[in-house]
Amino acid sequence: MRPLGLAARRAWPEAGLLRRRPSDQHGHARPRTTNETSPEGALELVVKIVTLAIAYFITARFGLSLASVSSVSAVWPATGVAVAGLLLLGVRAWPGIAIGGFLAGLPCCGAVAAAGVTVAQVSAPVAAAALLKAWDFDAALARLRDVLALVVLAGAASMVLSATIGTAVLAARGVVTGDDWPLAWSSWWIGDAMGTIVVTPLLLAVGTAARSRANLLRHRAEAVVLLVATVLATRLFFSGGLPLAFLIFPLGLWAALRLGLLGVTVVNALVTGVTVWATVHGYGPFAQMPPARTLVVLQSFNASVAITSLVLAAVTEERRRALEEVRASRARIVEAADAERRRVERNLHDGAQQRLVSVSLSLRLAEMQLGSSPNPELQTTLAEASKELQRALAELRELARGLHPALLTQQGLGAAVESLAEQAPLPVEVVAPPERYPVAIETTAYFVVCEALANVARYARASAVTVSVQHADGQLIVQVADDGIGGADPTSGSGLRGLADRVAALDGQLQISSPPGQGTRVRAELPCS
Amino acid sequence: MCDHPAVAVTVLIVDDHPGFRALARMVLEAEGYVVVGEAADGASALVAAATLKPEVVLVDIQLPDRDGFEVAWQLREHAAAPPQIVLISSRDACDYGQRLNTCGAQGFVCKGELSGNALAELLRGG
């Protein structure tokens, strides 16, 4: 049985060890900084200490109630509560650990032993919190480095302190003899480390990861199935004759991939709880081993399940955030490119086109001034130059329109699509409302229609085309359908691929249906609330 | 050379580019039009039109204070004897869509193609 004890009184300058950021983008809870010299601050600190004391007391009594597989408890969830408490409430709440631990241990150990061991129970979580702070730990556990820090710095390293102090106190009290000391030390260390690896993430997930909670709620039916399956499977694998314990791993991976941190931590807690219960009651593959091995193997198994799924959850979250950033970055690139096209179009209009217009009028003026000149060659030269200039101006206007049509900016998608239809070499029926949409949506939709109509003119051998623009259910749906020969290959040529990339940059979808002989339909769905 | 049908038709040129206004004036005057005034923006165009009472107003679509469509509409709505309005731009007509047909203007001429003949043809067509 694990004795509990009292903590040394010491002040700690920090209010909390959660990584603080000016703008938290992931919905993590952040501790409030408290001026504890004010009455409100002092009251808040008292509430935190009492809360932590109650939580520690309950979990310590629970830990004591578990049957032991050695001279100390195999599982010590109270340490997980202590570490999470210091991370969420601030290190100044440490007296809560001392009070809860001392009161829990008092009935079974006596005041002196309880006081001595409490030093161990307080110092290790405080050390863990300090190491995590130095590591720039984020309690959301959404990064691999945070999971590894929790496992290595808080779980493995810091708990050396509690195991060493705690077993030294027990040895001094004569509870542990020299021969038992290695087993007692390792049991203590493993119990505390497992509490940190299993319980702390669970509380941090509940306390900080708003996104994880939302994810779990969104998949609540799946979560219920997974949790029930976890309990049943763990119970089954630990009660049957076959050594199938490893089959629990897929459940942890399932939670990590689908349910996020909160799902993983709940599964880990269930697995640890059931396996410890089963082993203690003589069930499962580890129960038949010698006691010294049982603890090590059982908790190694539980640590493997917990660490694997925590790491996978963190990596999955990192990948999700990286993908989100890539998507946002791609959208920004497309928007920047569109803005640049608009700028070039304006510059062409305001600069080169105006100058060429002036040259055109000057040539016309020169032609008129030469009206009575006897030099017909010069007149011809001027007339040719004027015609060439008109062609250059027309090409420049075409180029500017291709960069970004002024009509789209000024009058919106409906008018721009109507204009495209009027310029098409075949009849185009347009159904497009006059509403305005966000610039990026209008531009992408326009270029979808533009490219699709150009393809119809080039390849489709169609007699008619229909263009429809529809805004429904938070989506702008743009469709171009012709009655041509079909058989278009979306993978050939860069035009459709470029369109698909452009649509995807806005989280939209581009579908191309072109069965041979049945026309082609290009359909873009763009999120547009 | 100047086979213009318009003799002594009075014109007001509205454009924010002084260089274009000067050249347009020279071209039109060389073809028999009488340019009675110039304006650099929509507000001064309305004042000049009310004062000078031109028969034709050439209005650039992109003006600094308002667009040419609005100027055309105001000229049509508020003048007792509205002038004929011809919109001009260095862009194409297709860059402006149906607004060209609904703003009350007589027609549209690309700036680069502006000439007395083009203007006369447009006015005859109206």
Side-chain angles (χ1 to χ4, degrees):
Chain A
M1 184 166 61
R2 162 166 291 195
L4 303 167
L6 186 69
R9 293 178 63 81
R10 58 181 282 199
W12 192 272
E14 297 298 328
L17 290 175
L18 283 180
R19 203 161 68 102
R20 290 178 196 154
R21 288 171 289 195
S23 167
D24 194 327
Q25 300 171 350
H26 306 294
H28 304 154
R30 285 173 292 181
R32 284 184 294 160
T33 52
T34 307
N35 180 2
E36 283 158 11
T37 57
S38 68
E40 295 82 7
L43 180 64
E44 190 177 329
L45 180 60
V46 168
V47 170
K48 286 178 179 176
I49 290 171
V50 170
T51 304
L52 187 53
I54 293 170
Y56 195 92
F57 176 82
I58 293 170
T59 45
R61 294 301 302 176
F62 173 70
L64 288 168
S65 73
L66 289 174
S68 298
V69 292
S70 75
S71 59
V72 293
S73 294
V75 178
W76 196 245
T79 298
V81 170
V83 173
L86 297 185
L87 291 173
L88 292 171
L89 304 176
V91 176
R92 282 195 179 92
W94 68 265
I97 305 171
I99 296 166
F102 182 76
L103 294 178
L106 194 58
C108 45
C109 307
V112 176
V117 170
T118 297
V119 175
Q121 299 294 25
V122 173
S123 58
V126 169
L131 285 173
L132 291 178
K133 176 180 168 53
W135 184 256
D136 190 27
F137 176 74
D138 186 345
L141 288 175
R143 303 176 302 179
L144 181 59
R145 72 190 304 277
D146 297 319
V147 170
L148 295 179
L150 185 76
V151 171
V152 177
L153 298 180
S158 301
M159 298 312 146
V160 169
L161 200 58
S162 58
T164 305
I165 297 173
T167 51
V169 170
L170 292 186
R173 300 290 297 168
V175 177
V176 173
T177 63
D179 292 342
D180 293 338
W181 192 83
L183 179 61
W185 188 94
S186 61
S187 299
W188 195 304
W189 179 74
I190 289 172
D192 278 1
M194 282 306 295
T196 307
I197 291 169
V198 174
V199 178
T200 301
L202 176 62
L203 297 177
L204 293 182
V206 172
T208 67
R211 182 187 151 69
S212 185
R213 284 197 300 274
N215 195 38
L216 198 65
L217 281 176
R218 195 165 53 247
H219 299 104
R220 52 186 172 274
E222 184 179 345
V224 170
V225 171
L226 174 60
L227 298 182
V228 170
T230 301
V231 173
L232 293 179
T234 311
R235 179 74 181 83
L236 181 68
F237 298 151
F238 272 75
S239 62
L242 292 172
L244 295 174
F246 55 85
L247 287 177
I248 291 169
F249 276 90
L251 297 169
L253 305 188
W254 177 4
L257 292 173
R258 295 280 301 167
L259 303 179
L261 179 65
L262 189 54
V264 161
T265 55
V266 173
V267 165
N268 288 345
L270 288 174
V271 168
T272 302
V274 174
T275 55
V276 168
W277 180 90
T279 305
V280 164
H281 288 83
Y283 302 113
F286 310 135
Q288 312 311 322
M289 297 176 180
R293 281 191 183 180
T294 299
L295 173 67
V296 173
V297 176
L298 169 65
Q299 297 298 52
S300 296
F301 172 80
N302 285 333
S304 299
V305 173
I307 293 169
T308 303
S309 54
L310 281 173
V311 164
L312 186 61
V315 170
T316 303
E317 179 63 13
E318 281 184 328
R319 192 192 62 164
R320 185 195 65 75
R321 280 159 57 184
L323 273 176
E324 219 169 58
E325 179 50 37
V326 167
R327 281 199 194 97
S329 160
R330 186 164 62 167
R332 285 197 298 272
I333 289 169
V334 168
E335 283 177 22
D338 284 343
E340 185 62 15
R341 291 167 75 119
R342 284 195 297 276
R343 189 187 68 77
V344 172
E345 192 275 338
R346 273 198 307 272
N347 284 352
L348 278 178
H349 173 260
D350 296 340
Q353 278 177 305
Q354 301 298 338
R355 290 181 192 282
L356 291 178
V357 162
S358 296
V359 174
S360 173
L361 293 186
S362 297
L363 281 175
R364 186 156 300 124
L365 201 57
E367 282 184 83
M368 285 185 287
Q369 287 164 350
L370 276 175
S372 55
S373 166
N375 191 341
E377 283 183 4
L378 185 56
Q379 277 187 322
T380 307
T381 304
L382 279 177
E384 286 299 321
S386 190
K387 278 183 191 170
E388 196 60 24
L389 188 58
Q390 290 308 317
R391 283 194 282 269
L393 270 170
E395 285 176 12
L396 200 55
R397 287 195 293 266
E398 186 77 23
L399 175 66
R401 193 179 311 115
L403 283 170
H404 188 89
L407 187 57
L408 183 64
T409 307
Q410 291 162 3
Q411 297 178 45
L413 183 61
V417 169
E418 291 278 4
S419 176
L420 279 177
E422 285 166 11
Q423 297 164 59
L426 72 167
V428 180
E429 183 189 344
V430 177
V431 181
E435 278 81 25
R436 296 303 303 257
Y437 309 103
V439 173
I441 299 286
E442 283 191 335
T443 307
T444 299
Y446 173 84
F447 281 115
V448 166
V449 175
C450 191
E451 179 71 20
L453 286 179
N455 284 342
V456 171
R458 277 196 293 260
Y459 310 117
R461 286 186 246 161
S463 62
V465 190
T466 303
V467 178
S468 68
V469 178
Q470 186 187 359
H471 187 207
D473 299 329
Q475 285 198 316
L476 190 71
I477 299 167
V478 182
Q479 188 165 291
V480 180
D482 68 59
D483 62 353
I485 58 173
D489 179 6
T491 59
S492 70
S494 60
L496 288 175
R497 273 208 308 275
L499 274 189
D501 287 346
R502 183 181 252 284
V503 169
L506 298 178
D507 276 342
Q509 285 191 321
L510 185 73
Q511 299 161 357
I512 297 158
S513 165
S514 187
Q518 297 178 49
T520 299
R521 190 190 70 171
V522 176
R523 177 186 170 93
E525 296 175 358
L526 301 162
C528 177
S529 52
Chain B
M1 169 80 194
C2 299
D3 183 23
H4 52 79
V7 177
V9 172
T10 55
V11 179
L12 171 67
I13 301 172
V14 184
D15 194 292
D16 56 332
H17 290 93
F20 174 80
R21 291 200 305 268
L23 279 167
R25 172 188 280 269
M26 285 192 278
V27 166
L28 293 179
E29 286 182 344
E31 296 190 73
Y33 289 83
V34 176
V35 177
V36 293
E38 297 176 16
D41 54 41
S44 54
L46 296 176
V47 173
T51 311
L52 303 171
K53 299 193 184 334
E55 293 164 90
V56 176
V57 183
L58 290 184
V59 184
D60 183 21
I61 290 178
Q62 194 169 319
L63 293 170
D65 57 342
R66 65 197 78 183
D67 68 31
F69 301 113
E70 190 181 336
V71 174
W73 183 83
Q74 287 175 326
L75 285 171
R76 296 280 296 185
E77 287 297 306
H78 300 305
Q84 291 189 298
I85 299 153
V86 173
L87 292 169
I88 54 175
S89 172
S90 54
R91 293 194 175 102
D92 263 334
C94 67
D95 288 324
Y96 296 105
Q98 289 301 315
R99 285 188 80 185
L100 282 176
N101 303 326
T102 57
C103 68
Q106 191 75 21
F108 172 87
V109 178
C110 268
K111 281 185 183 177
E113 293 162 13
L114 180 66
S115 67
N117 284 337
L119 195 56
E121 219 167 87
L122 195 63
L123 296 175
R124 269 203 306 271

